[in-house]
Amino acid sequence: MAVAATAARPLFGLPTAAQSPFKIAVISDEISQDFDHACSVIANDFGLHYVELREMWGKNLQTVSDAEIAEAQKILAKYSLQVTDIASPLFKVDWPGAPKSQYSSKEDLHGAAESAYKQQDEVLARSISLAKQFKTDKIRCFDFWRLDDVAPYRAAINEKLRATAEITGQQGILLVIENEFACNTATGREAAKTLEAIQSPHFVLNWDAGNAVMRGELDAFPGGWDALPKNRIHHCHCKNAVKDDTGKIVWSPVDKGYVDWTAQFRALKQAGYRDAVSLETHWRGAGTPEASTRISWAGMKQCLVNSGTF
């Protein structure tokens, strides 16, 4: 399959992010655990107005103190940044009664403590509280570590997600499931099935084409995208992946990989999408999170420009 590449074009004299139909954001800890520094880069260097929250100061949001929340709120105000969503680890656990997943690992929890199913009510309550404190109406979730055969458990998982969405909905908050390569909904096509099964108006999708590629859906765009109900997409993570010399799929800058982000941004705009497109670099080819994210942002910005959405 051809790998999408973005032709370089000068960016001088172009419109600002404020004129984009999208809320262009970055997950702050993809730049730095120093929250003030990360916000400075996002606002001053990247010229953006939105941030996605997952970790700060070496802690997952699940464990930051009240004083740290107050400090984070001051920093957000200082840089005039709005929060797109709370990127919580909700339901990134094993499904009870099922075989232990090969993907079950605290290494992919972004600073959150490894927890069990029985503790997820606490994670949910904390996430709702955080959403209100940071003035966002979206909480990210998953649908449990991936099973070799999810079929015997799928209906029960769907019911748990539906019931949880009803809880968040009562608080005016959307439950946003991310298609995650290590969880049971990993691809665009799998996400379409999950959304079809859970018809709650409070249950929506964080579309992550890069994660779909990592699971092997190399045609995440346009194939996986085409399967999705566009009106159910309310968040979008931006990253990319390629095959290395050994044939293994690895992360890459946004403008280099299987996902043609110029075309994806154009399709989002045509679908009437107006929510966040959030840079989740993951690629670390430049050595540090910040250096890698700066390179990935440059590529993402060019794709936005080329698509007419910046």
Side-chain angles (χ1 to χ4, degrees), residues 62 90 118-127:
Q62 293 288 317
L90 183 64
K118 63 184 180 182
Q119 295 165 299
Q120 295 308 291
D121 286 349
E122 299 170 21
V123 175
L124 175 61
R126 172 66 169 174
S127 299

Side-chain angles (χ1 to χ4, degrees), residues 15-31:
T16 65
Q19 295 169 281
S20 174
F22 310 139
K23 298 173 181 177
I24 306 171
V26 185
I27 299 180
S28 65
D29 60 80
E30 292 279 342
I31 296 171

